[in-house]
Amino acid sequence: MEAVLGIDVGGTSIKAGLFTPEGELLEERKVPTPALVDDAAYAVVTDGLKRILDAHDATPEDVIACGLDIPGPVADDGTVGFLPNIKLDPEGLVGAISSVFPRAQIAFVNDANAAALGEMWAGVAHGTSSYVLIALGTGVGAGVVANGRLVAGAFGAGGEIGHITVNPNETLTCGCGRKGCLEQYASAKGIVRLYLAECEARGVTPVKIEHATDTLSVFRALAAGDDCAKLAVDQMCEYLAQAMAQVSCVVDPAMYLIGGGVAGAFATFAPELRRRFAAHALPTCRDVRIEAASLGNQAAMYGCAYEALRLRDAAGK
Amino acid sequence: MEAVLGIDVGGTSIKAGLFTPEGELLEERKVPTPALVDDAAYAVVTDGLKRILDAHDATPEDVIACGLDIPGPVADDGTVGFLPNIKLDPEGLVGAISSVFPRAQIAFVNDANAAALGEMWAGVAHGTSSYVLIALGTGVGAGVVANGRLVAGAFGAGGEIGHITVNPNETLTCGCGRKGCLEQYASAKGIVRLYLAECEARGVTPVKIEHATDTLSVFRALAAGDDCAKLAVDQMCEYLAQAMAQVSCVVDPAMYLIGGGVAGAFATFAPELRRRFAAHALPTCRDVRIEAASLGNQAAMYGCAYEALRLRDAAGK
């Protein structure tokens, strides 16, 4: 058999999927992320992968492609940039994987970019050559696909729309060191912050918030008629719509897909987001589709596998 | 011989170039633009093209590709959108050209996109697969190239960076009906307007401005030490740098090329533009190259020819 591996390397856990070359997910396993900087840690990963293969009567030699995504910049040429949220030595990990899976084409992808590619392979973007997947999670990332190809960028910043400036008057500093970035309003953390700020401004006691990214409680409050929650979500939609209008002036996609943890509430905020996008966008782009992504937190795993397969095809293997 | 035609259809004049398939320009001719809506007008164009061919001992059957650019939106699939600045029936014109040049692959391209492609074929972007050409002229347009391919957009709005919102507080309305678009500050008209507004605010008599797009006089005043001209050009650079920082968060190009009429003064404003871009951009993209385009007003003509050749290759002809 020919097998493909897709490995979603997150800050907290690693999700690995075994796929057929046609995109069928045969099995998925999840382990906590070790510090991926020495042979012992690489062996934890490769041993886990070998066990998945074994369970499907496949051998390491059957693996023709293996893609990994990482929470950080990966440029057009595959160069990995600075990784603030994870301990990982890309060269060491590639070396370990290459020696265990000698036939495999290896690919590195940024995590939001991987999610975009996953939706192309097996999700709602199948057959679409022009779209932007926006991942609203702890941060805000995106994967831009144009002419059927991912736009990773010369410096790995393709799709870094979380750092489009939407509020030049912001006084708080974003993680990137600049001020007024989309991520400060449309990430899970941003939505919770907007809600608590609105409550404070009005002298209203907020609902119980479990942690800094607990948007579930904010959306629950919204459903229960909480005005502050409504205002916070409206602000989030406003800034997101403004940023999307800018994105449309650059790559003019046929479709936006909203993914990431916050997309669980997509049905709640979609009408407001669509209305505000139409108000901000160039008239010619107003009819763009704005939909929910379809593969949830498996999207990136699919996308890694797909990108490795694509590189293999491009190399004529 | 095999011949390629590139036809730059502007609001005022049509420039037609005869090229070899390798990109050598053999001859260029220019005629005033007629209303391209009936057979008589199409014949003016095709007869002119036949005369160019004749002068090079080539026949209409030698033409393997013929590209046209137009001042308006052309989508990924070649669909032509609304054309506010020119009377043109795209289907009629294509029909006329096809019947005169039976072997030719026809292509339609937006004008700024054509200029970007021209720079790839025969200009400073040769061999570069990721760049954005920004045309600062009567308006502000751009051609976005990612993964070696033009991003025309699903609705033909790819590269419409002139309509990125850079000043949410603007009270004047842009040609697109929105407010605070880059084009209101970085077009030739915008620069002249900023200069006159600055003079008025300070109660200073401006230098003589010949017409609404006379940036030449503004840049001459700047060279002569005019403070208002300096402030106007600094503002132009500021808004352009802000917009470019947003563009880098979407497609993260390796290079920006500045073209269009205003680029004649590139050496004057480049240091300010580079400084302000570095101040606004995500740290990872700060080292992007910002250069002058190299083909001047021939760029679009080159690009049309190139796009028609590319479509021909893609069709396997």
Side-chain angles (χ1 to χ4, degrees), chain A residues 73 76 129-130 144 146-147 149-166 168-169 176 178 245-255 279-289, chain B residues 73 76 129-130 144 146-147 149-166 168-169 176 178 245-255 279-289:
Chain A
D76 283 331
S129 62
S130 154
V144 173
N147 297 313
R149 286 278 307 277
L150 181 75
V151 181
F155 306 97
E160 282 292 344
I161 74 159
H163 300 289
I164 284 182
T165 309
V166 290
N169 304 318
C176 72
R178 294 143 75 241
Q246 317 282 49
V247 172
S248 281
C249 287
V250 184
V251 291
D252 184 27
M255 180 164 71
H280 289 296
L282 260 186
T284 184
C285 326
R286 271 177 199 160
D287 294 330
V288 69
R289 288 171 58 197
Chain B
D76 284 330
S129 62
S130 155
V144 173
N147 297 313
R149 285 278 307 279
L150 182 75
V151 181
F155 306 96
E160 284 291 344
I161 73 159
H163 300 288
I164 285 182
T165 309
V166 289
N169 305 317
C176 73
R178 294 144 74 241
Q246 316 283 49
V247 172
S248 282
C249 287
V250 183
V251 290
D252 185 26
M255 180 163 71
H280 288 296
L282 261 186
T284 183
C285 327
R286 271 177 199 162
D287 293 331
V288 68
R289 287 171 57 195

Side-chain angles (χ1 to χ4, degrees), chain A residues 5-30:
Chain A
L5 293 168
I7 310 172
D8 177 14
V9 183
T12 332
S13 65
I14 297 181
K15 280 197 292 287
L18 173 65
F19 296 88
T20 67
E22 291 72 38
E24 192 193 345
L25 177 61
L26 301 174
E27 185 169 338
E28 177 190 350
R29 287 198 196 177
K30 195 167 144 179

Side-chain angles (χ1 to χ4, degrees), chain B residues 66-87:
Chain B
C66 174
L68 301 99
D69 75 351
I70 49 174
V74 182
D76 284 330
D77 63 2
T79 312
V80 175
F82 176 63
L83 303 173
N85 299 319
I86 191 168
K87 280 194 194 306

Side-chain angles (χ1 to χ4, degrees), chain B residues 2 29 51 135 151 154 205 219 228 230 258 287:
Chain B
E2 291 194 323
R29 286 197 198 179
R51 276 195 297 276
V151 181
T205 309
F219 281 107
C228 294
K230 167 132 186 48
I258 310 297
D287 293 331

Side-chain angles (χ1 to χ4, degrees), chain A residues 84 162-163 172-181 183-184 189, chain B residues 282-283:
Chain A
H163 300 289
L172 297 174
T173 302
C174 176
C176 72
R178 294 143 75 241
K179 284 177 176 141
C181 294
E183 182 163 299
Q184 292 181 275
K189 210 168 153 182
Chain B
L282 261 186

Side-chain angles (χ1 to χ4, degrees), chain A residues 32-70:
Chain A
T33 308
L36 291 164
V37 289
D38 58 30
D39 290 343
Y42 306 150
V44 170
V45 174
T46 52
D47 287 352
L49 296 171
K50 282 193 276 191
R51 274 193 299 274
I52 299 179
L53 290 166
D54 207 38
H56 291 267
D57 296 325
T59 68
E61 285 70 27
D62 291 331
V63 179
I64 58 168
C66 174
L68 302 99
D69 75 351
I70 49 173

Side-chain angles (χ1 to χ4, degrees), chain B:
Chain B
M1 75 180 283
E2 291 194 323
V4 183
L5 293 168
I7 309 173
D8 177 16
V9 183
T12 332
S13 64
I14 297 181
K15 277 196 295 287
L18 173 65
F19 295 87
T20 66
E22 291 72 38
E24 191 192 346
L25 176 62
L26 301 175
E27 185 169 337
E28 177 189 352
R29 286 197 198 179
K30 194 166 143 178
V31 292
T33 308
L36 290 164
V37 290
D38 57 30
D39 289 343
Y42 305 151
V44 169
V45 174
T46 52
D47 288 351
L49 296 172
K50 281 194 277 191
R51 276 195 297 276
I52 299 179
L53 291 165
D54 207 38
H56 292 268
D57 296 327
T59 68
E61 285 70 29
D62 292 332
V63 178
I64 57 168
C66 174
L68 301 99
D69 75 351
I70 49 174
V74 182
D76 284 330
D77 63 2
T79 312
V80 175
F82 176 63
L83 303 173
N85 299 319
I86 191 168
K87 280 194 194 306
L88 187 149
D89 170 13
E91 284 182 25
L93 183 57
V94 165
I97 287 179
S98 298
S99 70
V100 176
F101 307 115
R103 291 175 61 205
Q105 168 73 51
I106 312 287
F108 262 109
V109 201
N110 162 271
D111 50 4
N113 289 348
L117 291 172
E119 295 288 345
M120 186 195 284
W121 201 28
V124 67
H126 194 77
T128 307
S129 62
S130 155
Y131 63 96
V132 175
L133 175 131
I134 304 179
L136 306 175
T138 311
V140 173
V144 173
V145 173
N147 297 313
R149 285 278 307 279
L150 182 75
V151 181
F155 306 96
E160 284 291 344
I161 73 159
H163 300 288
I164 285 182
T165 309
V166 289
N167 180 7
N169 305 317
E170 181 58 75
T171 53
L172 297 174
T173 301
C174 177
C176 73
R178 294 144 74 241
K179 285 177 175 138
C181 294
L182 174 65
E183 182 162 299
Q184 292 180 276
Y185 315 98
S187 63
K189 212 169 152 180
I191 295 166
V192 169
R193 188 179 59 79
L194 288 173
Y195 172 64
L196 294 174
E198 195 61 43
C199 290
E200 197 182 328
R202 296 189 177 202
V204 169
T205 309
V207 298
K208 192 177 176 201
I209 298 291
E210 306 286 342
H211 49 84
T213 59
D214 179 19
T215 53
L216 199 60
S217 296
V218 178
F219 281 107
R220 259 196 216 122
L222 172 61
D226 185 322
D227 277 352
C228 294
K230 167 132 186 48
L231 274 160
V233 173
D234 283 358
Q235 277 181 68
M236 180 276 270
C237 289
E238 173 64 20
Y239 286 124
L240 181 54
Q242 283 182 20
M244 286 163 63
Q246 316 283 49
V247 172
S248 282
C249 287
V250 183
V251 290
D252 185 26
M255 180 163 71
Y256 286 97
L257 292 178
I258 310 297
V262 178
F266 180 75
T268 305
F269 65 78
E272 192 66 32
L273 179 62
R274 292 194 181 110
R275 196 181 65 74
R276 289 179 188 252
F277 176 82
H280 288 296
L282 261 186
T284 183
C285 327
R286 271 177 199 162
D287 293 331
V288 68
R289 287 171 57 195
I290 302 175
E291 308 291 348
S294 59
L295 295 177
N297 64 13
Q298 292 184 319
M301 205 174 63
Y302 275 90
C304 296
Y306 183 54
E307 177 65 3
L309 272 180
R310 192 197 64 78
L311 279 185
R312 185 173 182 269
D313 282 350
K317 284 182 196 168

